[in-house]
DNA sequence: CTTGCTCCTGTAGTGACTACAGGTTGTAGC
DNA sequence: GCTACAACCTGTAGTCACTACAGGAGCAAG
C-alpha cells in the first residue's frame, strides 16, 4: 500500500501522514526500490486511532503515550496502570469540562429559540455564565 | 486603565491582548501622550466575553461574528444561535467519544489491578466507536 | 542618576497541520 | 519509444491562536 492508498483508506491527508511520521506517531515505513513509502493494514488502524484521539483533543505527545502503552503488553503492570490512570484522569477532566460547556451551550440555544429578537441573550449568556 | 491593569482585571496575558487587537476582536484603543494604550470597563467585559467564548471552543472568526451581531441589536438572533448550535453538536460528539475511551481506560486499569496483563484495546476502543 | 518596572514595536517560536515549489517515478495512450 | 499526467519525493513556508523575546522608551522611587 502506498501513501495515497493509506490516505484514502484512513481518510487522512497525505501531507498529514508524512507529518505524523516526522512527529513520531507513525513508524518510519519501509521503502520500495523507488523510494516510495510502503504501508500495511496496521498503519490504517494506527492512523484511525490517531485521528480519533486528535478529535478528542489529545495532543500528539499524549497519543505517543497511549500508543506506547498498547505496544508493550508485557510491560510491568504497575507502569502500564500508572500511564493508563494518568490518561484516565485526563479523560475525566475533559469530560467534566465538556459537560459544563454542553450545559452552557444548550442554555444559550434554548433561550435564543424561546425569545423574540429583542430578548436574545446569547451574547449576555457568555458574560454572565457561572464559569 | 493601562494594558497591565486590563490584563489583571480580565485575567488575560498582555501579549494576548495586543494579539486580539491585531486580530480585530478588540477595538484599537486610544493612546496616552506617551503612546500607551488606554482601556475602560467596556474592554474588561469584551475581553471576558472573548475568553469565555474561546473556552467554549469558538474560534476568533466566530467571535468576530458574535460581536458584530451584538453591535447590531436589530439583527436576528438566529445567526448567533446557529453558531452556538454548531458548537453544541461538536461538544456532544466529543462527549460520546470520550465516554467510550474512558470505559476502555477504566477496563485497562481494572485488569492491571487484578494482576492480569491487560490486553490493550485502546486503539479498538476508538476505532470501533459508533462515530 | 541609577535601578527597576511597565510599556512599546517587531519578529520568531509553538503545535498541528496544510500548501506549494521543484524534482522523480510509474503508467496509459498513441 | 514518446508524451502526458498522476502520484510520489523532499524541503520550505503559511495558518491559527497564541507566547516569548529582543531592543528600546517612559516613569517613579531611592
Amino acid at each position: 500500500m502506498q501513501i495515497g492508498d493509506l490516505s484514502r483508506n484512513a481518510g487522512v491527508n497525505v501531507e498529514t501522514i508524512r507529518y505524523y511520521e516526522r512527529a513520531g506517531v507513525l513508524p518510519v515505513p519501509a521503502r520500495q526500490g523507488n523510494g516510495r513509502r510502503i504501508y500495511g493494514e496496521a498503519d490504517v488502524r494506527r492512523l484511525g486511532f490517531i485521528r480519533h484521539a486528535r478529535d478528542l483533543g489529545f495532543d500528539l505527545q499524549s497519543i505517543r503515550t497511549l500508543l506506547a502503552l498498547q505496544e508493550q503488553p508485557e510491560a510491568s503492570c504497575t507502569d502500564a496502570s500508572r500511564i493508563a490512570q494518568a490518561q484516565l484522569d485526563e479523560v475525566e477532566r475533559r469530560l467534566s469540562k465538556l459537560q459544563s460547556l454542553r450545559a452552557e451551550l444548550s442554555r444559550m440555544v434554548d433561550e435564543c429559540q424561546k425569545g423574540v429578537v429583542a430578548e436574545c441573550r446569547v451574547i449576555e449568556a457568555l458574560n454572565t455564565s457561572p464559569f
Side-chain angles (χ1 to χ4, degrees), chain A:
Chain A
M1 203 192 320
Q2 293 194 161
I3 199 166
D5 306 304
L6 177 59
S7 172
R8 279 179 292 278
N9 289 344
V12 174
N13 201 319
V14 167
E15 317 266 18
T16 304
I17 294 171
R18 288 195 282 249
Y19 168 74
Y20 284 166
E21 182 185 329
R22 286 199 302 283
V25 291
L26 275 184
V28 175
R31 301 277 184 142
Q32 289 173 339
N34 54 23
R36 296 185 177 194
R37 292 167 176 83
I38 311 168
Y39 296 100
E41 285 304 318
D43 296 297
V44 180
R45 288 191 300 275
R46 193 179 177 109
L47 253 186
F49 167 76
I50 294 166
R51 287 305 337 172
H52 282 302
R54 288 288 303 126
D55 283 352
L56 292 175
F58 287 97
D59 61 17
L60 292 185
Q61 182 50 57
S62 298
I63 292 170
R64 273 189 286 266
T65 304
L66 285 167
L67 287 168
L69 185 60
Q70 114 124 18
E71 268 155 23
Q72 295 184 322
E74 287 123 34
S76 103
C77 250
T78 36
D79 280 358
S81 178
R82 187 177 40 73
I83 295 166
Q85 185 63 58
Q87 291 296 326
L88 184 54
D89 292 347
E90 174 65 13
V91 167
E92 298 279 12
R93 207 181 58 77
R94 287 176 189 278
L95 269 171
S96 64
K97 185 181 174 198
L98 275 176
Q99 278 156 359
S100 302
L101 303 192
R102 176 174 58 182
E104 174 74 2
L105 286 165
S106 287
R107 195 178 63 75
M108 286 169 62
V109 171
D110 280 356
E111 290 190 7
C112 202
Q113 285 173 343
K114 276 184 293 187
V116 294
V117 170
E119 291 167 6
C120 181
R121 296 186 190 280
V122 168
I123 286 164
E124 286 83 351
L126 281 175
N127 277 327
T128 61
S129 111
F131 298 106

